[in-house]
Amino acid sequence: MHIHIPDGVLPIWLWVAGYLMTAIFLAIVLPKLKKEEKKFPLVGMASAIVLLITSIPLGLPVHLNLMVLIGLIVGPSWSLVVSFIVNLILASFGHGGLTIVGLNTIVFWTQALLGILLFKILSKLIKNYFASAGLATFISLLFSFLLIVGIVFISTVDPGEFLHREGEMGHLEISLRTFIILSSPLALLGSLMESIIIGFGVQYIKKVKSELLA
Amino acid sequence: MSSIYLIDYYSNNIRSLIHQASPLAKLIFLFLILVSIILSKSLSSLVFILGIIVVLFLIAKLPFLKIGKWALYPAFFALIFALSQIQYGLLPLQTLLRAITVALLVLLFVCTTPYPVFFSLLGRFSRVFANVLFMTYRYFFLIIDKLQTKIKLMKIRGVYAGGIWRSFKNIGALTAQLFIHSLEKSEKVYNLLLIRGYQGVIFSRISYKFKLSDLLLIGLGLIILMVAITP
């Protein structure tokens, strides 16, 4: 799950803040990752898989992200790099706005980080990898949806300003209620599908090649 | 899936004025037009920018109708936003037009600039990015073939038989297999790279000198920006 808000809708300060946050996090992790040359091909392949899977709509305009699985495979620092690269390339063919690559990177990375944390806790509590990975994915995706709603909430786009009719437009925000009503069924459906698939995927990896999970 | 294949084809095999322009000049042009679209406050200036982009598509000898269809995907998501602004007059239309125009602008850039050239520009900021971006690009086309073969095999074996739960299980297993295959492949690739003298650095020879046509492109971008921000 990531933001599909077109360019020019969110206020400049918000998407610039997204880029700044991403730049700060990258500046922290990149010097450390520079020494891990051996992981470059694996991370490249992981990014290619996410890019490929994210580009396939599952009938409805819903697609998988696999960021929780990526987090479990490449770890928290590399998952930030994957998040940025995937969102940048997706934006290059019109999937997600170019200005919101920074915010989308944060949303993707949050899924990976939360997924790693929840999977660690849940796999100790529930001795079933399908259930723990599925649940960790579902909670992470729902949290990232709330994050997206939060971003829309704080964006407070001012239509009166766009139309040079300040003060005449009455309520000056995007209808958050309409946005939630329209996007939550898709978000719920997508989260549920992805959770089941990731659950089965992690179960399979644990059986066949458990060392793949970082 | 096929969109990246075609983008790669268009950027590498078509020869036009825009294809031959400096990648840095095109990146500056993209930035200027992006700012114009964001700052533009009237429907007419958005229509003007869209018109310019369509003309540039024709100059670049790109099939506008085919590529234009890809811009409908972001337009669908923009529709959700546009519907949330339905009470604000022409604003929903502007939102839709912005989404389509930016998508077309970015598609114009990637269809005239090969991905490796674009990545080498980004790679100037970080060695990690340069490496991972090039490898993502290379593996994408390898994995796409692998995935297509696997999907065909799964269909032959009746992937959808046994109900929706079974289908999810099969898709989960397919995803896991892709990652397992990638791990094994990445180890081989790394060893091969080492044999060939790889030291974690990817070199590229891209000229950052501007020709007259590059300056004209940047000039056009500046004119559009001025038109867009003029009330």
Side-chain angles (χ1 to χ4, degrees):
Chain A
M1 190 178 305
H2 62 150
I3 312 168
H4 288 99
I5 297 171
D7 292 297
V9 170
L10 288 184
I12 296 170
W13 69 265
L14 187 57
W15 60 259
V16 169
Y19 268 112
L20 273 176
M21 277 164 73
T22 302
I24 291 167
F25 289 131
L26 283 170
I28 295 167
V29 302
L30 283 177
K32 192 183 78 177
L33 300 178
K34 216 188 279 180
K35 295 161 197 157
E36 297 181 26
E37 276 168 22
K38 206 175 175 181
K39 273 202 166 178
F40 289 172
L42 175 67
V43 178
M45 284 208 181
S47 306
I49 295 174
V50 179
L51 192 60
L52 187 58
I53 300 287
T54 319
S55 316
I56 307 171
L58 301 172
L60 287 161
V62 169
H63 57 74
L64 302 176
N65 286 340
L66 306 179
M67 278 317 294
V68 175
L69 190 55
I70 289 294
L72 294 175
I73 291 171
V74 300
S77 302
W78 277 112
S79 56
L80 175 63
V81 177
V82 175
S83 303
F84 180 69
I85 284 174
V86 168
N87 278 301
L88 185 72
I89 301 178
L90 282 175
S92 78
F93 51 94
H95 186 148
L98 201 60
T99 51
I100 54 165
V101 169
L103 287 170
N104 268 333
T105 303
I106 302 294
V107 171
F108 258 36
W109 195 38
T110 308
Q111 286 168 32
L113 292 180
L114 200 59
I116 296 168
L117 182 73
L118 288 171
F119 181 71
K120 268 189 180 173
I121 298 167
L122 290 170
S123 57
K124 280 177 192 160
L125 294 173
I126 317 165
K127 298 287 175 201
N128 180 322
Y129 288 117
F130 167 76
S132 46
L135 202 56
T137 308
F138 191 70
I139 297 169
S140 307
L141 290 174
L142 279 192
F143 183 80
S144 68
F145 177 64
L146 290 177
L147 194 64
I148 292 169
V149 171
I151 288 168
V152 175
F153 176 70
I154 60 170
S155 66
T156 57
V157 175
D158 182 348
E161 191 192 315
F162 282 110
L163 302 171
H164 305 286
R165 289 165 64 185
E166 286 96 329
E168 290 177 43
M169 304 299 293
H171 187 63
L172 292 176
E173 289 177 14
I174 277 177
S175 166
L176 189 67
R177 192 170 163 266
T178 316
F179 178 77
I180 294 171
I181 291 169
L182 291 170
S183 55
S184 52
L186 294 175
L188 264 175
L189 183 71
S191 304
L192 195 64
M193 284 163 82
E194 177 152 357
S195 307
I196 299 169
I197 291 168
I198 299 270
F200 280 126
V202 170
Q203 194 181 39
Y204 187 97
I205 293 172
K206 270 284 174 190
K207 269 187 204 165
V208 179
K209 210 170 183 78
S210 59
E211 67 267 28
L212 187 61
L213 299 176
Chain B
M1 262 195 298
S2 59
S3 55
I4 299 186
Y5 257 133
L6 280 173
I7 286 171
D8 198 56
Y9 176 81
Y10 294 144
S11 61
N12 283 294
N13 294 290
I14 296 178
R15 290 281 160 269
S16 74
L17 269 174
I18 299 176
H19 281 80
Q20 284 160 359
S22 151
L24 190 59
K26 280 188 273 189
L27 201 63
I28 294 169
F29 178 76
L30 181 136
F31 177 76
L32 289 170
I33 305 300
L34 188 67
V35 173
S36 311
I37 294 167
I38 292 167
L39 296 181
S40 156
K41 291 183 179 177
S42 71
L43 197 62
S44 55
S45 54
L46 282 172
V47 172
F48 167 71
I49 297 169
L50 181 65
I52 298 276
I53 292 172
V54 174
V55 171
L56 290 174
F57 261 91
L58 299 176
I59 294 171
K61 298 175 191 169
L62 292 167
F64 178 73
L65 289 178
K66 198 167 196 169
I67 297 171
K69 275 194 286 186
W70 300 336
L72 295 178
Y73 187 67
F76 175 83
F77 289 100
L79 193 64
I80 294 179
F81 238 82
L83 288 172
S84 311
Q85 301 167 319
I86 202 85
Q87 64 270 42
Y88 301 122
L90 288 173
L91 192 63
L93 199 59
Q94 286 185 18
T95 300
L96 275 175
L97 208 55
R98 268 201 184 90
I100 294 168
T101 313
V102 174
L104 286 173
L105 171 72
V106 179
L107 284 166
L108 175 72
F109 176 76
V110 290
C111 287
T112 55
T113 316
Y115 271 116
V117 175
F118 172 43
F119 294 161
S120 69
L121 277 171
L122 294 171
R124 294 180 76 82
F125 298 104
S126 158
R127 191 162 68 94
V128 177
F129 275 144
N131 279 276
V132 178
L133 278 166
F134 276 109
M135 286 180 188
T136 304
Y137 171 76
R138 176 79 190 100
Y139 296 143
F140 182 84
F141 295 99
L142 293 176
I143 292 167
I144 208 168
D145 289 337
K146 185 94 190 162
L147 182 68
Q148 276 169 344
T149 314
K150 276 191 180 288
I151 289 173
K152 260 183 209 163
L153 281 171
M154 281 177 73
K155 278 183 181 167
I156 291 166
R157 290 171 188 163
V159 62
Y160 302 118
I164 194 161
W165 195 252
R166 188 86 199 161
S167 304
F168 280 138
K169 194 172 182 175
N170 288 332
I171 297 169
L174 172 77
T175 311
Q177 280 171 20
L178 269 182
F179 279 104
I180 293 166
H181 166 79
S182 305
L183 177 74
E184 288 161 356
K185 188 101 181 161
S186 71
E187 283 167 1
K188 279 183 196 164
V189 167
Y190 184 69
N191 290 333
L192 280 170
L193 285 171
L194 284 181
I195 292 167
R196 290 173 187 173
Y198 174 71
Q199 290 174 324
V201 183
I202 289 177
F203 296 99
S204 64
R205 283 199 296 176
I206 294 167
S207 168
Y208 293 98
K209 285 179 187 166
F210 285 163
K211 301 185 291 278
L212 181 66
S213 56
D214 298 326
L215 295 173
L216 286 174
L217 192 65
I218 295 170
L220 177 66
L222 283 169
I223 292 168
I224 293 171
L225 179 64
M226 282 193 284
V227 171
I229 58 172
T230 307

